[in-house]
Amino acid sequence: MSKKLTLQLFTDVYFNKYKVYYNSIKSEKDNYFFLVKDNQKKYLAVVGKPEALKKFESNAPEEKKIDEKELLIKICYLNYHNLNLLREIFPHLNPSFCGLRTSFGTGDRLGIATPAHLQAFAGKDIFPVLAQQSVREMERTERNWQRVLDDAIWGCFEAGYLGPFGADADHVKEIADLKEAVDCGYSMFTLDPSDHIRKDLSKLNKREINNLYGQISERKNLERLYLNKTYNFARQRLIFD
């Protein structure tokens, strides 16, 4: 069954009840998946064989049969369970590693801006980090690592984005928060050591600072790694001497 026929059958059943996000339409083994929206919220529409639909969660009282081939339509939640099923079917919906590529983090606090962010990245050689929030930001917006990641992935699906993207657990201070982000599948981690940095160093003289440095048990390893080495950043050069 073609994409065009699938949409026509969907329209025949629901008329104008749902707006279809055409960029989101994806197929796998003659099963079709796409986002739709009624006058209140968005849903995942699944069109295909009964065995493909039964795994997806929905509040619909029944699945709608649409033709003689026993194809069904199911209107499903945009929830964690259904998104995980999509990520298994379409691996490009999983975050990946940036490596040394030029990247940019979007920091979407509302969880609704990913499709627009992807339009901004179009045609540019920049690795998009689409899920990027700090613990502080999530506390204020009442979100969590999983919600931030899921919102970004649903945005990728809505936009029909097939490229790589990152997920950055930003400003992490606690091991528990780091572990939770790892378990959720984040691909980048920005650690915030500010609680362990003395804020009075600017008031100390050189002798006092050297005395403090001499108390660092790992200083020999640090010197071996960085001392008398040159690091080039674009047009700037950094030397530890």
Side-chain angles (χ1 to χ4, degrees), residues 33-51:
F33 309 84
F34 50 95
L35 252 58
V36 298
K37 183 181 180 181
D38 61 13
N39 58 1
Q40 291 185 320
K41 59 193 300 186
K42 297 176 183 178
Y43 301 90
L44 171 67
V46 184
V47 180
K49 295 289 187 179
E51 57 269 22

Side-chain angles (χ1 to χ4, degrees), residues 120-153:
F121 283 114
K124 300 176 178 63
D125 187 20
I126 299 175
F127 180 86
V129 182
L130 300 174
Q132 182 196 45
Q133 289 288 275
S134 69
V135 175
R136 182 183 67 253
E137 288 169 327
M138 292 190 300
E139 288 175 349
R140 294 177 178 178
T141 56
E142 298 183 352
R143 301 170 79 202
N144 55 42
W145 297 124
Q146 193 64 63
R147 176 70 180 277
V148 170
L149 181 58
D150 289 357
D151 287 343
I153 297 176

Side-chain angles (χ1 to χ4, degrees), residues 184-209:
C184 288
Y186 277 68
S187 58
M188 298 176 63
F189 308 92
T190 303
L191 306 183
D192 183 352
S194 58
D195 290 345
H196 303 279
I197 298 175
R198 291 184 54 165
K199 299 176 176 60
D200 62 342
L201 293 179
S202 61
K203 300 178 182 179
L204 303 181
N205 58 43
K206 187 174 182 179
R207 180 179 178 182
E208 291 171 323
I209 292 176

Side-chain angles (χ1 to χ4, degrees), residues 35-89:
L35 252 58
V36 298
K37 183 181 180 181
D38 61 13
N39 58 1
Q40 291 185 320
K41 59 193 300 186
K42 297 176 183 178
Y43 301 90
L44 171 67
V46 184
V47 180
K49 295 289 187 179
E51 57 269 22
L53 275 66
K54 65 182 180 181
K55 296 180 181 179
F56 288 86
E57 294 180 347
S58 169
N59 65 345
E62 62 181 11
E63 298 163 346
K64 294 184 180 293
K65 185 177 179 180
I66 58 175
D67 71 356
E68 68 281 356
K69 296 180 181 179
E70 296 187 352
L71 294 177
L72 303 176
I73 298 177
K74 192 173 186 178
I75 305 299
C76 307
Y77 300 117
L78 298 193
N79 63 13
Y80 172 77
H81 172 81
N82 290 339
L83 184 58
N84 271 357
L85 293 176
L86 282 182
R87 291 171 66 179
E88 291 177 5
I89 297 170

